[in-house]
């Protein structure tokens, strides 16, 4: 059951937005069933590749939330969070940032090109320290970012890097639905 001191959990999905079997969706459901307050950044209906629109959507959810929040971001949601954090983030208690993509190197076929990402404001990816504590959980075999580059991002952001092993991009295509470790890492973020 949620208490007055529990932060609101804000789910920040990646570019593919909401997927029913995704660990973020399942986590949000489990937390809500346990009495926690959970808000999810809604999908974009226009300009889905616009970094500015995604940052604005995250900002709107946080601004409409009373009290402290903890962000739970996946994939491009991590990069959205990092861009958004360049502004005011006073009510953010911490963030769990999971498998951020490396938008500064070419992604596999089927993903946006470096040119498209640049034209839509995603690059360069901010490297300054985040104004809140964070854990960056990353994979040793993520097709969207090498462990060395993602660990470097985590350190630049002042976050704690946590290598998860071979979990791909930690999405349904990598065999994840449920991801119980999310709750463990979320507790670590909430504990500071």
């Amino acid at each position: 059951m949620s208490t007055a001191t529990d932060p609101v959990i804000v789910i920040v999905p990646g570019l593919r937005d909401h997927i029913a079997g995704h660990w973020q969706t399942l986590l949000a459901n489990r937390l809500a069933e346990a009495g926690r307050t959970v808000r999810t950044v809604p999908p974009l209906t226009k300009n889905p590749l616009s970094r500015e629109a995604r940052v604005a959507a995250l900002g709107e959810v946080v601004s409409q939330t009373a009290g402290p929040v903890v962000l739970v971001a996946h994939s491009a949601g991590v990069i959205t969070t990092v861009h958004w954090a360049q502004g005011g983030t006073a009510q953010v208690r911490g963030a769990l940032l999971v498998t951020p993509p490396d938008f500064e190197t070419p992604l596999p076929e089927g993903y946006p090109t470096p040119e498209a990402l640049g034209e839509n404001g995603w690059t360069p990816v901010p490297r300054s320290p985040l104004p809140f504590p964070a854990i960056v959980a990353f994979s040793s075999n993520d097709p969207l970012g090498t462990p060395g580059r993602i660990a470097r991002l985590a350190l630049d952001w002042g976050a704690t890097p946590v290598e998860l092993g071979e979990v791909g991009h930690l999405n349904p295509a990598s065999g994840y639905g449920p991801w119980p470790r999310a709750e463990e890492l979320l507790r670590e973020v909430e504990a500071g």
Side-chain angles (χ1 to χ4, degrees), residues 71-160:
L71 305 171
V72 177
H74 177 255
S75 191
V78 173
I79 309 303
T80 299
T81 299
V82 171
H83 277 284
W84 173 79
Q86 303 306 299
T89 58
Q91 70 192 92
V92 177
R93 191 177 284 173
L96 174 58
L97 309 173
V98 181
T99 60
D102 182 357
F103 276 174
E104 294 173 341
T105 62
L107 299 174
E109 189 174 327
Y111 289 91
T113 64
E115 296 77 23
L117 291 168
E119 290 167 5
N120 284 281
W122 293 97
T123 56
V125 172
R127 303 276 180 164
S128 56
L130 295 169
F132 44 77
I135 290 174
V136 173
F138 63 96
S139 172
S140 62
N141 67 339
D142 190 339
L144 303 187
T146 65
R149 286 192 52 96
I150 301 306
R152 179 76 249 165
L153 281 175
L155 294 173
D156 289 346
W157 297 333
T160 302

Side-chain angles (χ1 to χ4, degrees), residues 70-71 93-96 133-135 184-192:
V70 167
L71 305 171
R93 191 177 284 173
L96 174 58
I135 290 174
E184 172 192 328
L185 292 171
L186 181 58
R187 283 191 295 274
E188 287 182 34
V189 168
E190 289 184 294

